[in-house]
Amino acid sequence: VTAINDEPMIVIPSSNVQVDEDGTVLVTGISVSDPDVGQEDLEVILSVSMGELSLDFSSLSASSLSTLAFGGATSNSSVLKFTGPTTAINEVLATLSYSPEAEYNGSDSIEVIVNDLGNTDDLGRDLEAVASLAIDVIPVNDAPSLNYPINNLIVKEDEPLDILGVFVTDDAIEDSGSEMKITLSVNDGT
């Protein structure tokens, strides 16, 4: 019987990941396997379009960490790439977190690619699997921003003062076309 190279497999959660705008979420439930890779290495590439991924090594065993090789950044990056044995890869995948771009809300996804590096193929042919995990970035009502030129204005008694350069911004209001209420007051005068 001649063995053939079986392709790797990816398990992802069945429900979307949800995170608040400007938040961070631990992404659990992603794992990889390959029925014929044994103790040989797999390669994993994780990527997102509208955020950053990070790995946390604080809970990893020293023996697992020493078997992993990273091809670039391991935190705050839109792409993470690493190789290692299946058990070490699954250990590090359990620490994966996602943070959306600043002020972004909407949809994103984590694309997971696992490649068996042709470990059991006599002809060196790599097989890979691809999966995608949807992310819902939930909008958060940000506070409006008040901008003004200086803190203390000086005016002579009984003379008017034009106050220029005061403006209020609120991205949610601007995006929706809604109105906002602004109240200005002074301690003395009108």
Side-chain angles (χ1 to χ4, degrees), residues 5 8 32-44 67-69 82-90 114-121:
N5 185 11
V32 300
S33 63
D34 189 310
D36 55 13
V37 77
Q39 293 302 310
E40 299 296 326
D41 288 348
L42 295 173
E43 176 184 70
V44 174
T67 63
L68 294 168
F82 48 96
T83 59
T86 306
T87 52
I89 286 175
N90 287 329
V114 61
N115 186 307
D116 71 1
L117 304 172
N119 280 313
T120 60
D121 190 273

Side-chain angles (χ1 to χ4, degrees), residues 88-170:
I89 286 175
N90 287 329
E91 225 180 297
V92 78
L93 283 173
T95 74
L96 179 67
S97 64
Y98 169 83
S99 301
E101 291 179 359
E103 300 302 319
Y104 174 74
N105 61 73
S107 297
D108 200 356
S109 64
I110 300 173
E111 182 179 66
V112 181
I113 301 172
V114 61
N115 186 307
D116 71 1
L117 304 172
N119 280 313
T120 60
D121 190 273
D122 292 337
L123 301 174
R125 294 174 293 206
D126 298 2
L127 293 178
E128 69 179 28
V130 179
S132 185
L133 175 60
I135 301 171
D136 300 321
V137 182
I138 300 165
V140 173
N141 186 8
D142 297 320
S145 173
L146 173 63
N147 299 288
Y148 47 92
I150 56 177
N151 290 331
N152 296 313
L153 300 173
I154 299 172
V155 62
K156 292 182 180 177
E157 185 177 356
D158 297 327
E159 289 188 20
L161 173 66
D162 290 330
I163 303 172
L164 305 173
V166 176
F167 61 96
V168 177
T169 58
D170 187 324

